[in-house]
Structure formats: C-alpha cells, structure tokens
Amino acid sequence: MVLLKCAGMRTFLRRAVRLKYSTRAANMRPGYQQANVVILHKDLADDFEAFCRANSGPLPLLYRSKCGEWSCSLATGSDIREDCPEYCVFENGKLMKKMASLSSYTPQLADMVTFYLGCSFGFEAALTAAGVPVRNVEQGKNVSMYKTSVPCIRAGQFDCPMVVSMRPVPEDKLDAAVQCTHATPLAHGGPVHIGHPKLLGIHDLSRPDYGDPVEVCSGDVPVFWACGVTGVEAVQSCKPALAFTHSPGCMFITDQKAETVSPLTLEPAQCPLTICISQNPQLYSIASKRAVQQIQAIEELVVEDPGARGIRALFLQDELLKACLSLSHSSSVLITTGFPTHYMHTPPEETDGPPGAIAMAAMLQALRKEVVIVTDERALEMNQHIMQDAVKKGVIKTPVPVISFQSKGPDSALHFLCHDGDPTKPRFDHLVAIERSGRAADGNYYNMRGVNIRHLVDSIDDLFTTASTIAGITTTGIGDGGNELGMGKVKAAVKAYMPNGNLIACDVAADFAITAGVSNWGGYAVACALYVLNRCPVHWRYLQRGLGSSPTPDQQSLWSGCLPTIAKEEDMLHILVKYGVRSGKTANLGLEVDGLTFYPHHSDIIQRLRHLTLA
C-alpha cells in the first residue's frame, strides 16, 4: 500500500507539472532527487557526455537517454517533453523563449538526446535534517545562482565557466552542511567554496545571474555548491542550432529519494572538516578528519625540544594546519630566511633556515606554485650559489629565483609586493619567513644572546607589515625562539618564558606562527603537510572546485619525490658548510644545526616525519 501511495503521489505530481499547476519544481518534492535537463542534437551528445565526466561537480550525470527517448529510468511514466514546469529554448546559443511544453518540437526531438543531471535541491532535506537552516526555503525563494570566473574543463565544443548555487549557512553549522552534502556526489556533493564571493569572481551577492537574491543573516557564511545550470552556460558556449534546457529552478522530478542516489558511504576518517584560513578575505578550507589528524601529529613531532629551550611555551595548536591549507590554495609564494647570528664570522649566517626554506620550495614547486626566495643583499650571491648547488645535488629539482629587497622609501614594500604598487594586484598571495631575523619593539634585531645584529639585516619585515594591510596576502612565520620574523604573534609568551624575551621578542606578527624545536623542522613539516593535504581526496576536490579527476600516479610520484629525505638534507648541510655557514648555537662548522648533530638528532626527526606522512 505504501508503494502504491508513493507511486500515486509521483504520478499526481507529474500530472500537476504537465497541467502547470506549479511553476517551480524546487519545493514540490523535498527529499527527492531532482534533475537539471539538457537536450542536444545527437551529433553533440558524445562531446557533452565527455564534458559532464570531466566536470562531475557541476554536471553529475544521472542518465543519458537514447536518441528520441522521451522517458527515463529515473521516473516511471515520465515524458521529458512535459515534465519540467518550464523549458528554455536556445537557437544558435541564444535564449529565444521559455515554454511550458516541448510537444511542439516533437519532430526535432526525435534526433536529440536528453541528459539528466543531478541537482542540489535534492540535498536540502538532508541539510534540514542535519539542523542546517535553508535560507532560500525559509524566505520562499529560489536559490541564488551565479556565473563564476572558474573555467570548466573543455571537452569538444563545450567550454564555459562554472555556475554555482549559494546558500548562507551559520558558521557553527558549516561542518554539518559540508558533511551531509559531501555524502551525495550525484547532487553535486560538498561545497566548492566557502567564504568571500569575489574569490569566485562574484561581485554582488544581491544580483544573482539565475534564481532569486537570498538574504544572508547575521553570522551566516556564504557557501557555494557547483550547480547544474552550468549546462545552460555550456549550451550557450557551444551555440548549437537548437537546444533545450530546464528553466533554472524548474527541474525534472525523479522517483528516487535524494539519499539513495549513489550515496557516498563515508568512513569516519574521511569525514570532511571546515577550517577558517583567512578573514581578509573570508575563506574556509576543507580537509578530511584523517588528514587533519596526520598534520596534527606532524606538528606535535616537530615541536619536540631536544635542546630543552622551553619552546613549547610558544606553541599554538593547528597553526601548521591553517598555514598549509592557505599555502595549498595559494598560487605564488615568497619565502625569506637568513639569521646572521654569528656577527663575528664571515658569513654570519647559521645552518638553521635555508634547508627548511628549500624543502618548502621544493614541495611548492611540485604543486605548481610560483616560488621566490628573498634574502639580504649582503648574502645574495652566496644564497644564489647555494641554490645552484642544491639543484646539482638533487635537493630541489628546479632553481628558485633568489632576490633581495631594499627599502628606498615608504612605498617600497607595496611596490615590491604588488604590481604597480596596486594593492588589488598582489604578486604573491603568501609570505613565509623561516628562521629569519625579526624586528624587536625597539626597531633592532637581536640574536638569542641579546646581541644587536641590525647592521647585518635588511628590512624584509616591512614586507610582512605591509602585507598585513593588503587583502589576499597571508603570512606565516616559523621559529624556534621567538626572535624570528612572524613570531610576534606569540610575543607575550616570548617575553614571559624565553631568556632575554623582553629584549629579543620579534614585534612583527604573522597570520600563522609555527613553533618548532628547530626551525628547519618546521619547514620540513610544511612540506610534509602539503603532501598530506594534496593526497587527501576531500581537500583535493575542494581545491579543484569539483572539476577534473583525482591526482594522477605521476603527480603523486612527483610530490613524494619532493619530500625531505635524510640523504637530501645531509647533502644540504654539506653545501652550507662548503660556504662557511655555521651551527647557530655553537658556531661549529660541520653537520650540525642549533648545536644538534645531524646524526642522530635531525636524521631521526626526518625519518619519523616521513613515517607519519606516508602512513
């Protein structure tokens, strides 16, 4: 009886649509899978299917009809000519009219193929069940849909930007919203962006390209899902002589419950978690619980303190995770290092910093980020030679440009960081300082013994203070004592717990401050955490906006080949010794960093890092 009642209700609803008693499908069958519809000439069908396969986030393919087939297995007794509340008719890529029925095109439809594509309206019941308010439903509106600046992956004649839908979600409900939608890949799956719309090329949320403007309530965060209306854009880009789509918001209703349409069974370890990585502009990232826990274990390892310096007092949990999520989203990274602690030697640099900087650069390069290293003019030539030798030894595959920064006025940093000094056009979206001398509150630079080394240090701090005023540039500092650039974020702890803390504490804060027992270990940890994130399917999908496929075996092999190894880091120390660079604590010229010999101390950390990373 229940099955008969359900079947009867479905038949009734389809009759209602055919009689046009309702102009919207969105609210007619909450909890049932709805489908976006694209109807194309049979000659374009294979190309469009390939386009759907390549862009499965916005275009999850539920069913491809045979040529001239009106019905489909998704709904008993259906007729695609009648069962959408409203259709769009395109000629040569232009919207010519909207119609309540396609019956008058029956002769033409005989040579056409219908594609039924998953729709996000199917997961709105799941959001409600998870306690997530659905604002468009509350406000009695169609969902807001926007064209983005994100290009879909081209297939044949189909080439268009992705369209997204937006639902405002209270910040404390983000995890719930992500988790329940991630489990329904054929209803677009989890979000492709959480945060400021301009990062998708959307300039005004109050003016959607499709649907209705939905009011964002106080405390809400804009959450964007890939949208099947991308199919409409695809039709317009291809410019076929004749094509049809559903009218946005007027979908085809299937017989299937949304949660039964190939739901993804999530292992607890693959449960997605949301993490805020920027407030200017607002941006959240996503990673699996497993990846987050791996990175937390890596972070705990590198904060070990074999020198008993008390650096645990400076530790902030999850700074490594947040910094690496931000780096994963970046496209261009500036790294700085160099701490001339040995003012009585030439060169005055120490062995802590450059190995970690090159380890990060190697992984960032493998992930196709642009990387530049900036250092003191005084040490520029030496660092360029160190980079060349690192390439020859295979420590890094491709040389990274090594440059200097000289402040010649109040706008020097702005012009260095941004094209033409325009803060809306930054050259870099992330700055990383690792074991870099940091400016103290009195304007000087001090080593851990409290010796002023200002005469040896260029004002690279200006880049970090200027970056803090530019939307879209994030900063990270890596240190092991609190006098390093960026560690101003924990200066209160430095002053309270570190020797000479009131004098030496860096006053310049980074967005993220990674504390490590040795700063090089922090650099190794960044490389390892980036590898973990990009091997995480949940993060990778979010990073790719739901487009394309999983990383190829060749990509994964390239990434693993760029992880720190004992052999590479030993070679790196040999290179530094060749140029007279000494251990920070003892000034020994040998395979030693901060008074700890490479074997067994640093080699052991590297081995344990690799074990955690590759587990």
Side-chain angles (χ1 to χ4, degrees), residues 503-522:
L503 176 67
I504 69 169
C506 176
D507 199 49
V508 180
D511 294 309
F512 307 114
I514 299 171
T515 301
V518 175
S519 292
N520 281 341
W521 300 354

Side-chain angles (χ1 to χ4, degrees), residues 57-69:
L59 302 170
L61 185 57
L62 301 179
Y63 183 76
R64 170 183 166 168
S65 78
K66 298 180 179 66
C67 188
E69 180 184 14

Side-chain angles (χ1 to χ4, degrees), residues 522-577:
Y524 303 156
V526 167
C528 291
L530 285 169
Y531 175 84
V532 169
L533 285 173
N534 283 271
R535 286 291 309 276
C536 168
V538 172
H539 180 68
W540 179 259
R541 179 189 180 279
Y542 185 73
L543 200 63
Q544 302 301 314
R545 312 288 196 196
L547 307 175
S549 57
S550 301
T552 66
D554 286 347
Q555 283 177 297
Q556 296 183 44
S557 177
L558 174 64
W559 300 342
S560 63
C562 290
L563 287 169
T565 67
I566 292 173
K568 285 193 291 189
E569 297 314 313
E570 184 177 3
D571 283 342
M572 189 65 213
L573 279 183
H574 277 295
I575 293 169
L576 294 177
V577 169

Side-chain angles (χ1 to χ4, degrees), residues 354-366:
I358 289 180
M360 289 189 292
M363 185 58 70
L364 289 165
Q365 279 187 336

Side-chain angles (χ1 to χ4, degrees), residues 142-468:
N142 191 4
V143 72
S144 302
M145 293 164 275
Y146 306 86
K147 299 177 189 178
T148 71
S149 58
V150 179
C152 288
I153 296 171
R154 181 169 187 157
Q157 300 179 53
F158 296 96
D159 183 20
C160 70
M162 181 167 65
V163 175
V164 295
S165 62
M166 188 281 293
R167 292 167 180 82
V169 174
E171 186 175 20
D172 64 350
K173 299 292 186 182
L174 288 176
D175 278 349
V178 170
Q179 288 162 13
C180 72
T181 58
H182 183 78
T184 55
L186 291 183
H188 301 302
V192 297
H193 177 68
I194 304 173
H196 202 294
K198 79 172 185 179
L199 298 175
L200 291 177
I202 300 168
H203 299 290
D204 188 351
L205 284 181
S206 69
R207 300 179 65 185
D209 297 291
Y210 303 97
D212 302 323
V214 175
E215 182 181 350
V216 178
C217 299
S218 177
D220 284 352
V221 177
V223 181
F224 299 86
W225 281 266
C227 179
V229 177
T230 301
V232 174
E233 293 292 316
V235 167
Q236 292 176 311
S237 74
C238 180
K239 299 180 173 60
L242 180 66
F244 309 99
T245 71
H246 73 290
S247 184
C250 300
M251 287 73 64
F252 176 86
I253 303 171
T254 77
D255 290 349
Q256 298 174 319
K257 279 282 193 179
E259 63 268 21
T260 66
V261 183
S262 299
L264 188 65
T265 302
L266 291 179
E267 299 177 7
Q270 291 304 317
C271 179
L273 302 173
T274 57
I275 300 99
C276 182
I277 59 174
S278 173
Q279 287 293 355
N280 186 26
Q282 186 182 51
L283 176 62
Y284 290 76
S285 191
I286 298 176
S288 71
K289 183 177 180 180
R290 173 185 169 84
V292 168
Q293 290 175 336
Q294 272 186 278
I295 293 169
Q296 288 171 336
I298 289 169
E299 184 178 56
E300 281 292 330
L301 172 59
V302 299
V303 82
E304 287 186 6
D305 188 10
R309 301 170 61 197
I311 55 92
R312 183 80 193 194
L314 312 184
F315 175 72
L316 297 175
Q317 187 175 15
D318 290 336
E319 294 290 278
L320 176 65
L321 172 65
K322 294 172 186 176
C324 290
L325 284 167
S326 178
L327 284 166
S328 188
H329 285 272
S330 69
S331 58
S332 181
V333 181
L334 180 72
I335 300 173
T336 184
T337 190
F339 205 121
T341 190
H342 301 304
Y343 58 92
M344 73 296 287
H345 292 285
T346 302
E349 273 68 31
E350 61 167 303
T351 51
D352 196 13
I358 289 180
M360 289 189 292
M363 185 58 70
L364 289 165
Q365 279 187 336
L367 296 172
R368 299 182 180 179
K369 318 293 186 186
E370 293 184 16
V371 187
V372 176
I373 292 177
V374 62
T375 189
D376 299 299
E377 177 69 26
R378 167 191 52 75
L380 181 61
E381 185 176 354
M382 179 187 74
N383 280 299
Q384 289 172 336
H385 287 309
I386 289 171
M387 178 61 68
Q388 292 168 7
D389 286 2
V391 173
K392 290 176 184 175
K393 282 287 188 179
V395 178
I396 188 169
K397 295 184 183 298
T398 307
V400 174
V402 182
I403 62 175
S404 64
F405 166 70
Q406 297 288 301
S407 180
K408 298 177 181 178
D411 293 332
S412 293
L414 183 62
H415 281 270
F416 184 94
L417 293 173
C418 302
H419 296 284
D420 302 318
D422 183 349
T424 66
K425 300 176 181 178
R427 289 189 175 91
F428 311 101
D429 43 31
H430 204 122
L431 312 185
V432 183
I434 176 169
E435 193 63 22
R436 170 69 195 175
S437 314
R439 185 185 297 146
D442 64 3
N444 293 316
Y445 298 81
Y446 297 95
N447 65 16
M448 289 301 291
R449 292 178 292 279
V451 176
N452 187 355
I453 54 174
R454 181 176 181 175
H455 62 291
L456 297 172
V457 181
D458 291 343
S459 56
I460 290 173
D461 305 66
D462 291 349
L463 301 179
F464 278 65
T465 55
T466 299
S468 69

